[in-house]
């Protein structure tokens, strides 16, 4: 019988701990247990055989850390080959009559993935792929990915397993005492991502004893439509009489797991500290149990690296602002590759309370594959909301989905054959909740019936690809009522039928309904309310619109989703603030204060205020005058204060941010008009191997304040990339940052390459470990002890001074 | 001696705003900075974890060689620090990835806050190490010498690799080491602390034990 069939009908028993047993046999601290497959095959085989004899159906090969980061390719192959041979010998030698399977065991790489660590996602996939291919070559029955404490690395491992084998794949994560992975994912988020990618079973192992993992296992069972794994430690280690013992006995261990089998767990075993005796006790206690049925949960959800957003009765808000359509300033940011602007849009929408962020960066003449992928990676580095990948470029969609850390929402597929054939394979492979537009080769049907028919066609196609109905969400297309006054009615009617008859969730780009009308927000807000009442599950909307947010909060309160009306009360204050127009007195005060209030706001570091005042001034004062007479003098006062040590670094930065906010107001005002000439290009980066970037970001902020065109290459940047950009832009200035003694050589190498390929540029270096002496030794033009010194130097170079 | 790796998880040690400001390069705080710091402290609630893994190891000192059995380090300063110790406490501590995410987030949109989060992280990890050392000293009724980390004085940063090879940091507390010997999460500490069985020596304040008196970050305690 193959493993999948066996799993359908039975409780599956995995094995127990390996590491603790090997230590008892003499494994030294720091020694790789995987090498014992070669050096001590008898010991490994006996442990496996003892597990089979104790009642295990599955033993995991002794390959937890067998990966190409730890071993050479030759060693890796030998280790995996021997490990599988040892497991096979145990299977052959076991006296147990049960079904016996061998799992290729895959643990974490030991490195943290970018952006938190330094291992690239695709490199991680490559590392796991090597191990998987060797497992397939030497023959195993299934793959067991375990003890993963990061969702992103888990995704890399599962992707590698799926791309390099047809074997069943089990994934087990290490949850902490807070019920989350080390990098933040909760059980519902992991279920959404792993099921989306087609895992055969999922669960929890290691970290804690059975009792402490109870709530995690329960949450997994409640969310998962595949079998759930539970493989806890024998509690915590203690030392008694010079020996390690664990504080959960065999008896307690098996009792506690037995209770969880009754709650629906289907695959059980032990981790650190458990022995064949634990498995034997567990098997004796539970072998007569009837396996709980595996139920389809019908949960429609997307997830981020921390949590899942489930679609149900309460409406879901999808922020639409990361989209260049009709936004000059956003287009400019895309063209200038100004990712910080895009991130700010994401952060402010999150602050407004949206649940999901739509990400659309489609513009003619940009490399959408690269920009969309970068946007997704940058957004998920700092914002924990699930993302909606919004693109019509299929390569960009695949690239973004691949890198996405969770289960994404996908916008969109439609009834056209071409669209279905392009999008559904991606949904199947990477998982996702896909928005399906009810249009096809013949356009958008005028009638509700026509749109429902397309929805049915799409559902049938999805089923052929093995995509379940819960992963499709229908958009019945809001059209403007200014062109056809019955347009909204058709949309709403189709919406109602799809929700009530087909039982699918729905979504709308709400604001399309008012196109061409004055005061669009008023129409949008009311349409949103009617749509919600007709079964709308989610709206792609503008969270800055007071009318939309009013509808949302009042709907939540009226429908009983808002306990004690707390959210409504919290939001209500802002409704009035937005609604009331500024009084004439206020306007007068601002105009009178010209010349001092903006400077005051900058010097005091009041960011919002500086932005507001600038916007108001722009109505009557030329932009250049605001810069030269207001912002720059204020910055000079602060900069001088910092140099005189009367102002501290945090204050300098707060002022710089206030100035940036003023500049941002000017930039928005000028967007689309010809670009103001910057002082000069300054290429900046944290060198290869170093991931500290606070210092670099501070220098960047100040240089921007002083009018430099800063090209920020980020952190951990290889010398070649810095050289390439410098040459391409013929940049006169390059700034390099390093924080560790171990990364100064990378700085030296970068300088060497720059001298060769870009001899014209001046190189400024800085960072905690650098000194004037160091800077001289590695051949920099300038050692800047702080950000102001970098600014002063850059100004001197641009003004024709000498170093 | 058979040595076991243990884990400990702590509840949040009390925050010291003065320490945070010191790490942010600020000797005194005006109203604006205090306000911003308060916003940051609010945002950091529930984003940190306080985890330590540790084991005891034997040590023999020979000149400036510190021999731990499994590995051996050459460092005059450490040898002096461990003088007369037969055993050491080897530990790794981290406050988790939450702080790194906040630093990264504000690094992109507000360097002033990023700087404050950086300072909060530095204060947090030091507070955790202090809490851990005090806890172990009490639990075991021992005295501990000031903790000493790879990269301090003349102890090579390469010693990180040895510590990681015997502490199982990745699995225990989610701490990893990259090729440049940087740790992720970044607000983490690995260190060795000499054990004084007779408890005659109390915990020493780390800055007081250091002879770099002109250090910007030197504590006033």
């Amino acid at each position: 019988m193959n493993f999948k069939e066996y799993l359908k009908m039975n409780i599956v028993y995995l094995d127990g701990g390996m590491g603790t047993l090997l230590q008892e046999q003499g494994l030294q601290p720091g020694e790789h247990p995987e090498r014992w497959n070669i050096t001590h095959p008898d010991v490994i085989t006996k442990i496996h055989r003892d597990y089979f004899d104790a009642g295990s159906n599955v033993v995991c090969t002794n390959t937890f850390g067998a990966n190409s980061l730890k071993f050479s390719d030759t060693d890796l192959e030998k280790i995996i080959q021997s490990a599988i041979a040892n497991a096979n010998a145990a299977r052959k030698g076991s006296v147990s009559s049960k079904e016996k399977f061998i799992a290729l065991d895959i643990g974490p790489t030991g490195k943290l993935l970018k952006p938190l660590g330094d291992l690239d996602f695709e490199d991680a996939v490559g590392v796991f792929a090597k191990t998987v291919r060797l497992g397939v070559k030497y023959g195993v029955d299934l793959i067991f990915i375990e003890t993963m404490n990061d969702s992103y690395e888990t995704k890399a491992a599962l992707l590698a397993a799926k791309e390099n084998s047809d074997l069943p794949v089990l994934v087990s994560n290490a949850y902490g005492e807070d019920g989350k992975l080390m990098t933040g994912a909760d059980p519902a988020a992991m279920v959404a991502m792993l099921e989306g990618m087609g895992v055969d079973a999922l669960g929890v192992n290691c970290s804690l004893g059975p009792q402490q993992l109870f709530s995690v296992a329960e949450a997994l069972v409640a969310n998962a439509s595949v079998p759930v794994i539970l493989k806890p430690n024998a509690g915590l280690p203690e030392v008694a009489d010079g020996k390690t013992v664990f504080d959960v006995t065999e008896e307690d261990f098996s009792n506690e797991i037995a209770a969880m089998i009754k709650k629906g767990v289907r695959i059980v075993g032990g981790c650190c500290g458990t022995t064949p005796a634990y498995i034997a006790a567990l098997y004796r206690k539970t072998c007569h149990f009837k396996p709980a049925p595996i139920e389809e949960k019908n949960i429609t959800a997307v997830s981020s690296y921390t949590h899942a957003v489930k679609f149900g009765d309460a409406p879901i808000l999808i922020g639409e602002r990361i989209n260049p359509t009709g936004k000059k300033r956003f287009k400019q940011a895309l063209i200038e590759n100004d990712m910080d602007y895009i991130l700010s849009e994401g952060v402010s929408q999150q602050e407004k309370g949206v649940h999901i962020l739509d990400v659309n960066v489609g513009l003619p003449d940009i490399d959408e594959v690269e920009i969309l992928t970068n946007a997704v990676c940058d957004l998920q580095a700092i914002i924990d909301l699930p993302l909606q990948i919004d693109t019509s470029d299929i390569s960009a969609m695949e690239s973004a989905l691949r890198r996405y850390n969770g289960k994404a929402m996908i916008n969109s597929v439609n009834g056209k054959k071409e669209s279905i054939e392009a999008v559904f394979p991606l949904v199947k492979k990477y998982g996702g909740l896909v928005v399906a537009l009810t249009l096809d080769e013949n356009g958008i049907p005028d009638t509700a019936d026509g749109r429902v028919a397309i929805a049915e066609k799409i559902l049938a196609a999805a089923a052929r690809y093995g995509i379940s109905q819960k992963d499709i969400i229908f958009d019945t297309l809001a059209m403007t009522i200014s062109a056809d006054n019955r347009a909204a009615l058709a949309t709403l009617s189709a919406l109602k039928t799809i929700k009530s008859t087909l039982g699918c969730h729905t979504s709308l780009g709400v604001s399309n309904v008012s196109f061409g009308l004055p005061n669009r927000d008023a129409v949008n807000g009311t349409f949103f309310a009617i749509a919600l009442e007709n079964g709308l599950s989610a709206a792609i909307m503008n969270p800055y619109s007071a009318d939309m947010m009013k509808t949302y909060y009042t709907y939540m309160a009226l429908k009983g989703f808002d306990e004690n009306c707390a959210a409504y009360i919290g939001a209500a204050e802002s409704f009035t603030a937005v609604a009331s127009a500024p009084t004439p007195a206020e306007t007068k005060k601002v105009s009178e204060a010209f010349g001092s209030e903006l400077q005051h706001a900058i010097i005091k570091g009041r960011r919002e205020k500086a932005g507001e005042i600038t916007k108001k001034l722009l109505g009557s004062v030329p932009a250049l005058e605001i810069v030269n007479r207001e912002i720059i003098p204020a910055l000079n006062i602060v900069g001088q204060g910092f140099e005189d040590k009367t102002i501290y670094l945090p204050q300098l930065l707060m002022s710089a941010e206030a100035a940036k906010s003023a500049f941002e107001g000017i930039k928005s005002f000028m967007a689309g008009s010809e670009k103001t000439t910057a002082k000069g290009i300054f290429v900046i980066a944290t060198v290869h191997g170093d991931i500290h970037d606070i210092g670099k970001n501070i220098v960047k902020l100040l240089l921007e304040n002083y009018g430099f065109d800063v090209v920020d290459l980020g952190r951990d940047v290889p010398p070649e990339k810095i050289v390439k950009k410098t040459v391409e832009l013929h940049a006169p200035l390059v700034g390099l940052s390093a924080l560790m003694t171990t990364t100064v050589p990378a700085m030296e190498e970068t300088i060497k390459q720059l001298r060769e390929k870009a001899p014209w540029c001046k190189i400024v270096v800085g960072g905690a470990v650098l000194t004037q002496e160091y800077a001289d030794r590695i051949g920099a033009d300038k050692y800047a002890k702080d950000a102001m010194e970098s600014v002063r130097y850059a100004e001197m170079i641009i003004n024709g001074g000498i170093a | 001696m058979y040595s076991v790796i243990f884990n400990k998880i702590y509840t949040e040690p009390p925050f010291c705003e003065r320490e945070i400001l010191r790490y942010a390069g600020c000797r005194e705080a005006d109203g604006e900075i205090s306000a911003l710091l308060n916003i940051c402290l609010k945002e950091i609630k529930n984003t940190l974890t306080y985890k330590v893994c540790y084991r005891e190891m034997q040590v023999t000192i020979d000149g400036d060689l510190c021999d731990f059995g499994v590995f051996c380090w050459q460092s005059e300063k450490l040898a002096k620090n461990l003088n007369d110790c037969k055993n050491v406490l080897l530990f790794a501590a981290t406050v988790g990835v939450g702080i790194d995410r906040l630093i990264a987030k504000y690094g992109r949109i507000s360097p002033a806050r990023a700087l404050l989060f950086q300072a909060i992280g530095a204060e947090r990890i030091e507070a955790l190490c202090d809490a851990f050392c005090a806890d172990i000293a009490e639990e075991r009724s021992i005295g501990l010498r000031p903790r000493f980390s790879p990269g301090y004085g003349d102890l090579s940063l390469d010693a990180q690799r040895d510590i990681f090879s015997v502490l199982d940091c990745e699995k225990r507390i989610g701490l990893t080491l990259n090729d440049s010997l940087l740790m992720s999460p970044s607000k983490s500490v690995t260190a060795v602390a000499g054990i004084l069985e007779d408890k005659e020596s109390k915990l020493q304040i780390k800055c007081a034990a250091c002879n770099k008196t002109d250090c910007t970050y030197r504590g006033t305690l």
Side-chain angles (χ1 to χ4, degrees), chain A residues 277-338:
Chain A
Y278 280 77
I279 300 301
L282 173 62
Y283 180 71
R284 271 197 311 274
K285 176 116 357 190
T286 61
C287 60
H288 56 281
F289 282 19
K290 208 174 145 231
I294 310 296
E295 287 164 4
E296 169 62 48
K297 297 300 190 302
N298 203 23
I299 294 169
T300 292
V302 290
S303 68
S304 68
Y305 58 86
T306 58
H307 66 283
V309 169
K310 293 182 187 173
F311 288 66
D313 295 331
I316 302 294
L317 303 180
I318 305 169
E320 68 178 12
R321 301 293 297 173
I322 301 182
N323 189 324
T325 312
K327 300 191 201 85
K328 274 190 210 153
R329 178 64 187 92
F330 199 97
K331 280 182 191 161
Q332 189 188 348
L334 280 179
I335 291 162
E336 292 171 3
N337 205 5
D338 178 1

Side-chain angles (χ1 to χ4, degrees), chain B residues 1-209:
Chain B
M1 192 192 90
Y2 189 74
S3 158
V4 189
I5 309 171
F6 293 99
N7 287 33
K8 280 203 183 249
I9 299 171
Y10 291 90
T11 51
E12 184 181 278
F15 284 84
C16 176
E17 290 195 15
R18 216 171 113 220
E19 279 288 282
I20 296 170
L21 290 169
R22 187 168 71 82
Y23 284 118
C26 206
R27 290 272 165 186
E28 57 199 306
D30 65 7
E32 312 287 339
I33 289 180
S34 290
L36 193 64
L37 179 58
N38 281 331
I39 293 171
C40 292
L41 288 174
K42 219 166 154 185
E43 187 165 357
I44 208 153
K45 279 266 171 258
N46 303 321
T47 63
L48 303 182
T49 55
Y50 298 89
K51 295 185 180 178
V52 185
C53 63
Y54 62 101
R55 75 193 302 167
E56 279 183 32
M57 296 188 57
Q58 292 174 345
V59 67
T60 29
I61 310 292
D62 180 8
D64 57 1
L65 271 186
C66 310
D67 188 348
F68 298 89
V70 190
F71 48 77
C72 191
W73 296 341
Q74 184 156 24
S75 162
E76 191 194 326
K77 294 264 161 56
L78 178 62
K80 205 174 141 198
N81 175 295
L82 296 181
N83 185 30
D84 293 339
C85 296
K86 301 231 167 5
N87 295 295
V88 296
L89 182 66
L90 188 70
F91 72 92
T94 183
V95 296
V97 296
I99 185 81
D100 285 347
R101 287 220 173 93
L102 286 167
I103 293 170
K105 173 177 174 181
Y106 289 106
R108 301 298 291 264
I109 59 176
S110 168
R113 285 192 207 198
L115 179 77
L116 290 180
F117 279 119
Q118 170 83 14
I120 292 170
E123 187 268 349
R124 290 289 77 200
I125 185 62
E126 288 302 319
L128 171 62
C129 291
D130 289 345
F132 167 71
C133 288
D135 178 31
I136 293 292
E138 192 182 322
E139 185 183 293
R140 295 260 287 100
S141 257
I142 51 172
L144 286 174
R145 285 269 167 78
R147 54 182 179 266
F148 203 100
S149 295
Y152 277 20
D154 59 348
L155 177 60
S156 164
L157 210 49
D158 288 318
Q160 287 283 44
R161 289 193 220 281
D162 296 325
I163 296 182
F164 272 75
S165 76
V166 299
L167 273 186
D168 202 13
C169 302
E170 202 279 334
K171 206 168 161 185
R172 302 282 176 151
I173 58 171
L175 180 61
T176 62
L177 188 67
N178 78 10
D179 296 339
S180 313
L181 304 175
L182 277 171
M183 291 183 282
S184 303
S186 71
K187 295 304 169 197
S188 304
V189 161
T190 56
V192 52
I195 293 177
L196 300 160
E197 297 291 349
D198 55 6
K199 213 191 169 184
E200 72 183 14
S201 159
K202 285 184 184 161
L203 272 177
Q204 289 186 41
I205 300 301
K206 53 195 180 301
C207 285

Side-chain angles (χ1 to χ4, degrees), chain A residues 346-390:
Chain A
V347 171
S348 12
Q349 289 184 90
Q350 181 176 31
E351 283 165 2
K352 288 283 175 195
V354 303
H355 307 107
I356 295 169
L357 290 176
D358 183 83
V359 185
N360 182 322
V361 294
L363 265 192
D365 305 325
I366 68 161
D367 181 349
E368 197 177 337
V369 176
E370 190 190 331
I371 306 268
L372 182 65
T373 310
N374 289 347
V376 164
C377 290
D378 282 6
L379 282 163
Q380 71 187 5
I382 67 165
I383 297 176
D384 65 358
L385 296 180
L387 302 180
Q388 169 163 285
I389 315 283
D390 182 358

Side-chain angles (χ1 to χ4, degrees), chain A residues 126-200:
Chain A
V127 168
F128 290 121
K130 273 189 186 170
T131 301
V132 169
R133 284 196 291 266
L134 288 169
V136 170
K137 180 173 172 186
Y138 292 104
V140 291
D141 303 304
L142 64 145
I143 294 172
F144 186 60
I145 297 167
E146 62 150 315
T147 326
M148 292 280 171
N149 58 13
D150 172 30
S151 55
Y152 212 22
E153 187 175 12
T154 311
K155 175 167 179 170
L158 179 53
L159 201 55
K162 287 275 172 189
E163 287 183 336
N164 294 282
S165 82
D166 298 317
L167 295 168
V169 189
L170 276 49
V171 173
S172 177
N173 289 104
Y175 291 85
E177 36 300 305
D178 55 357
K180 293 172 184 170
L181 302 191
M182 191 265 293
T183 50
D186 66 18
M190 290 311 294
V191 171
M193 181 180 89
L194 296 171
E195 284 193 352
M197 294 176 69
V199 77
D200 293 286

Side-chain angles (χ1 to χ4, degrees), chain A residues 111-120 123 684-693 696 712-722 737-738 743 746 750, chain B residues 178-180 182:
Chain A
K111 294 232 174 197
L112 201 51
L113 268 65
K114 286 178 183 175
L116 293 166
D118 67 338
L119 183 61
D120 181 74
D123 291 342
I684 194 166
T686 299
V687 298
H688 192 47
D690 207 325
I691 55 168
H692 294 91
D693 62 357
K696 182 212 71 189
D712 180 6
L713 298 179
R715 54 189 196 174
D716 190 13
V717 188
E720 297 73 23
K721 192 172 166 188
I722 299 172
S737 167
T743 54
T750 309
Chain B
N178 78 10
D179 296 339
S180 313
L182 277 171

Side-chain angles (χ1 to χ4, degrees), chain A residues 51-62:
Chain A
Y51 278 121
F52 274 136
D53 289 347
S56 294
N57 299 109
V58 178
V59 301
C60 301
T61 54
N62 178 31

